[in-house]
Amino acid sequence: MPLDDEREVEYRVRQALSAQALHHPGLADVARRAGGDLLGYVTLAVENGKKLGDRRWRPPAPVEPWSGVRDATVPGNPAPQLAQSFADVNSMDEDCLTLNVTVPEAQGIGRPVMVWLHGGGGTNGSAAAYDAHRLAVTGDVVVVAPNFRLAVFGCFGYPGLADGGTFGLQDQQAVLRWVQREIAQFGGDPANVTLVGESYGALMIAAHLVSPASAGLFHRAILQSAFSVLGTTPAHAFIPGVPALPPRWSPVAELEQFGAVIAAERGWVTPDSDPESALAQLRRVPVTDLLQASESFIRPAFGGITLPESPSTAIPAGRFQRIPLMLGTTRDEARFFVGLFADLVGNPVTAESYPRLVAEAFGDSADQVAARYPLDGFPTPSLAWAQIATDRAWARPAWELGRVFAAHTDTWFYEFADRAAPPLVPLPGFPTGAQHSSALAYQFDFPGGTSLSAAQREFADRMNRYWTTFAGHGDPTRADLPDWPDVSTGHVQSLAPERIGGTDYVAEHNLDFWSRMP
């Protein structure tokens, strides 16, 4: 959305930023009319959402210009989604392509910019859940957090649908282009942009590293708990009961065929419709109906204009942006998935089911896996399986990705290791440890969310200084924090309140063993 000094464009603002830091005529007056000279974030539309339906499954379009004061005192709509056990948000509004900007109160220009891509499995999540004021103030950075299309609205494909399976990726690219055009108005430096994402957001960064349309739009990247960027995942290793998973990237021809099958099965199109009329029918299907198929469309597609090649082949071959990279995992990633989707639904892993899970996941190697992870070595069978899943489905793929990155560019690796971290999603009776998403409470505040102890709060400040130093300089090392060598030395930085320093990640997660396993 262009900010043009030749016409009056004003935004109503709130909470924790200095209007003067935005360097745009009229903003200070708007802030005063809103009740003060401080603001917390500004919500800015990056797509015209008024022509809904017809805009579905098309590239994001520029916002329609307006005159006068646009109310930006509350976050924009989340992308369409159904509430889940891990995300209690329902949204049916396709007018969702907005972004939030958080800037420190103190006046400044040329600040590093961090663009945050939220997680949520590709089906859920919104920018508004992440209050970035601590990150912005600690590191003196500008934080941009966008909403983007998810699931069936972001990764749907159908014969004749141009560049299907990449609409969420295209939305994020529109945000990055907006940052290049406009972030200087908010005190940010468009030549110093770091793309940061967690879980599904980190997976999308892998696509940006490969997509030609993203080249030059960001200059560093941080991938937090990315899931299986390069390879497949054995049965049950993601969630007990879930079969083996293919690579997280779908060939566009395969996606189109799958989309056609789903559309026919669900009656979204009339039989024997030609592609043009079928797409017209699909754009009239109610949001609620489309959302019933959301979990079937979470894999971005490759083979089109936006993502010509799968990141699983392009990255190992070195065909990606050679920029400084940071990546890592949490120490107990899979406890989140085992606790939430097995124990809490009354179907924990048991001594009886454990051998079956191992056999179905690892076939001829099952005996070796069972010997390496004996049940008597863990308090419960669920925790034994969670350790297998953490090591095989999270630590091994992340380590392989980090080593591939390090062969081509400067790369730093970390492990978030605070086993007393307050979980974002409570799992009563289940020892969560440093589970998936547990690091987020140290970077962001959440509405009605978790509280940190004094020691954890101090640690959060140190962790955020690492992140923002990397964003500013392409290297997390700083004199007031423990040294952090890059991963080419074999170093992994363990991050916890009681200790920050190197850890033997390979031994901790049995990665020499897993390198010989399926």
Side-chain angles (χ1 to χ4, degrees):
M1 178 178 55
L3 300 180
D4 189 341
D5 288 341
E6 295 179 358
R7 65 181 178 87
E8 182 180 14
V9 179
E10 297 178 337
Y11 305 95
R12 197 180 302 265
V13 292
R14 73 170 184 166
Q15 293 181 353
L17 308 173
S18 165
Q20 295 178 348
L22 302 182
H23 305 288
H24 189 274
L27 280 173
D29 291 338
V30 176
R32 283 191 287 272
R33 292 204 298 274
D37 63 353
L38 303 179
L39 57 125
Y41 53 76
V42 191
T43 303
L44 305 170
V46 296
E47 170 166 350
N48 171 18
K50 302 306 180 184
K51 300 175 182 177
L52 301 180
D54 182 61
R55 295 293 321 145
R56 184 183 291 171
W57 300 315
R58 299 187 193 276
V63 69
E64 290 182 352
W66 68 88
S67 60
V69 176
R70 180 169 183 142
D71 189 345
T73 59
V74 295
N77 299 318
Q81 57 193 276
L82 297 174
Q84 306 283 349
S85 56
F86 59 87
D88 188 21
V89 174
N90 271 301
S91 179
M92 302 294 151
D93 198 332
E94 292 182 72
D95 186 7
C96 64
L97 298 191
T98 59
L99 56 85
N100 299 334
V101 180
T102 306
V103 184
E105 178 180 355
Q107 183 173 348
I109 59 173
R111 289 183 165 108
V113 180
M114 302 179 77
V115 178
W116 170 254
L117 303 182
H118 67 73
T123 60
N124 292 79
S126 78
Y130 301 85
D131 179 346
H133 79 273
R134 281 194 289 122
L135 190 63
V137 171
T138 297
D140 195 32
V141 299
V142 177
V143 181
V144 177
N147 288 326
F148 45 89
R149 283 173 285 184
L150 300 168
V152 69
F153 294 93
C155 289
F156 184 69
Y158 194 86
L161 180 59
D163 217 12
T166 65
F167 301 107
L169 183 63
Q170 291 180 52
D171 295 342
Q172 296 163 13
Q173 290 170 339
V175 169
L176 292 170
R177 291 192 296 270
W178 182 91
V179 167
Q180 289 301 305
R181 294 193 308 268
E182 309 295 348
I183 206 63
Q185 307 285 356
F186 296 83
D189 181 0
N192 191 359
V193 177
T194 299
L195 196 52
V196 192
E198 188 264 349
S199 195
Y200 191 79
L203 183 79
M204 297 301 284
I205 292 177
H208 286 291
L209 288 170
V210 172
S211 173
S214 299
L217 297 179
F218 62 105
H219 312 96
R220 333 188 197 289
I222 303 174
L223 295 81
Q224 303 180 196
S225 297
F227 180 72
S228 194
V229 170
L230 299 182
T232 60
T233 305
H236 312 299
F238 177 46
I239 296 172
V242 171
L245 298 176
R248 296 293 80 203
W249 319 101
S250 176
V252 67
E254 177 183 298
L255 178 65
E256 290 176 353
Q257 183 179 16
F258 182 66
V261 169
I262 294 294
E265 287 179 348
R266 295 177 179 264
W268 294 343
V269 297
T270 56
D272 301 321
S273 296
D274 63 82
E276 184 176 351
S277 61
L279 288 173
Q281 294 171 55
L282 286 165
R283 290 190 170 104
R284 294 193 295 268
V285 175
V287 169
T288 51
D289 292 353
L290 291 174
L291 285 175
Q292 302 307 314
S294 272
E295 292 185 0
S296 298
F297 297 97
I298 58 175
R299 297 165 61 203
F302 66 91
I305 296 173
T306 300
L307 189 61
E309 186 176 9
S310 171
S312 65
T313 56
I315 290 174
R319 293 188 291 272
F320 65 92
Q321 291 192 57
R322 308 293 180 84
I323 58 175
L325 298 169
M326 232 174 78
L327 76 158
T329 62
T330 68
R331 184 170 179 176
D332 305 301
E333 291 274 8
R335 290 194 189 186
F336 176 89
F337 303 96
V338 175
L340 185 62
F341 297 109
D343 280 51
L344 260 65
V345 298
N347 189 30
V349 181
T350 64
E352 293 71 31
S353 65
Y354 184 76
R356 175 182 57 81
L357 295 177
V358 174
E360 291 177 359
F362 303 109
D364 294 341
S365 302
D367 289 346
Q368 297 177 65
V369 174
R372 183 58 66 106
Y373 296 84
L375 277 179
D376 60 10
F378 298 88
T380 68
S382 282
L383 287 176
W385 186 257
Q387 191 63 57
I388 288 176
T390 292
D391 295 350
R392 172 57 185 87
W394 294 94
R396 171 179 150 176
W399 185 244
E400 290 172 348
L401 181 62
R403 290 174 68 85
V404 166
F405 281 152
H408 301 283
T409 192
D410 294 338
T411 305
W412 287 262
F413 201 103
Y414 73 89
E415 179 179 64
F416 177 82
D418 184 7
R419 284 183 151 168
L424 293 183
V425 179
L427 304 177
F430 192 86
T432 54
Q435 67 173 2
H436 186 72
S437 79
S438 57
L440 296 176
Y442 295 74
Q443 299 170 277
F444 303 95
D445 290 328
F446 295 86
T450 58
S451 59
L452 302 176
S453 69
Q456 288 172 327
R457 181 72 64 161
E458 181 181 354
F459 164 65
D461 179 75
R462 302 175 86 190
M463 181 174 158
N464 285 341
R465 277 184 280 156
Y466 273 134
W467 259 240
T468 55
T469 298
F470 177 82
H473 307 288
D475 183 333
T477 303
R478 49 185 297 152
D480 60 345
L481 291 175
D483 191 35
W484 186 343
D486 66 69
V487 76
S488 68
T489 66
H491 183 89
V492 174
Q493 191 83 329
S494 177
L495 301 170
E498 65 275 11
R499 179 182 175 275
I500 295 176
T503 187
D504 191 342
Y505 191 81
V506 171
E508 182 181 293
H509 294 287
N510 290 309
L511 297 186
D512 286 340
F513 169 78
W514 284 112
S515 68
R516 305 188 300 272
M517 294 295 108

